[in-house]
Amino acid sequence: MEEKELVEQGYRKYHGETIDVYFNTHVCEHSGNCVKGNGAIFDLKRKPWIDPDQAAKEEVMRVIDTCPSGALQYIQKEGAEK
Ligand code: SF4
């Protein structure tokens, strides 16, 4: 999905250096896979609770791919390889 579509559907953007993460609270099923998968990227006690720069892009994608609801999405940034 493209950013425009995600934002139109109510996703909020969390900026990262090499990857942006999008989250829609209305879609979330509260499985907890994200915080269990990587508590540094996904930390409910922090604001903002998602920080894509806490891990490598590959790890961000790995954890988001375990989200069962689709509440988490990502878009890799072109030309932003580390
Ligand atoms: S993994 Fe997805 S569905 Fe589960 S709590 Fe995180 S955002 Fe919500």
Side-chain angles (χ1 to χ4, degrees), residues 23 28-34 67-69 71-72:
F23 173 68
C28 177
E29 290 171 355
H30 307 287
S31 68
N33 288 14
C34 48
C67 173
S69 69
L72 286 168

Side-chain angles (χ1 to χ4, degrees), residues 28-62:
C28 177
E29 290 171 355
H30 307 287
S31 68
N33 288 14
C34 48
V35 287
K36 276 181 260 172
N38 191 307
I41 306 167
F42 303 97
D43 181 353
L44 291 166
K45 292 192 224 90
R46 183 183 56 211
K47 284 199 173 188
W49 77 283
I50 301 171
D51 181 357
D53 293 339
Q54 293 291 325
K57 179 177 77 175
E58 289 72 20
E59 171 68 359
V60 174
M61 293 190 284
R62 183 193 70 79

Side-chain angles (χ1 to χ4, degrees), residues 3 5-15 20-27 46-50 52 71-74:
E3 175 169 323
E5 278 175 75
L6 290 168
V7 171
E8 277 170 7
Q9 288 177 24
Y11 282 80
R12 190 176 156 196
K13 181 177 185 176
Y14 296 82
H15 294 263
D20 288 328
V21 175
Y22 302 79
F23 173 68
N24 189 333
T25 189
H26 301 295
V27 178
R46 183 183 56 211
K47 284 199 173 188
W49 77 283
I50 301 171
L72 286 168
Q73 303 283 337
Y74 57 76

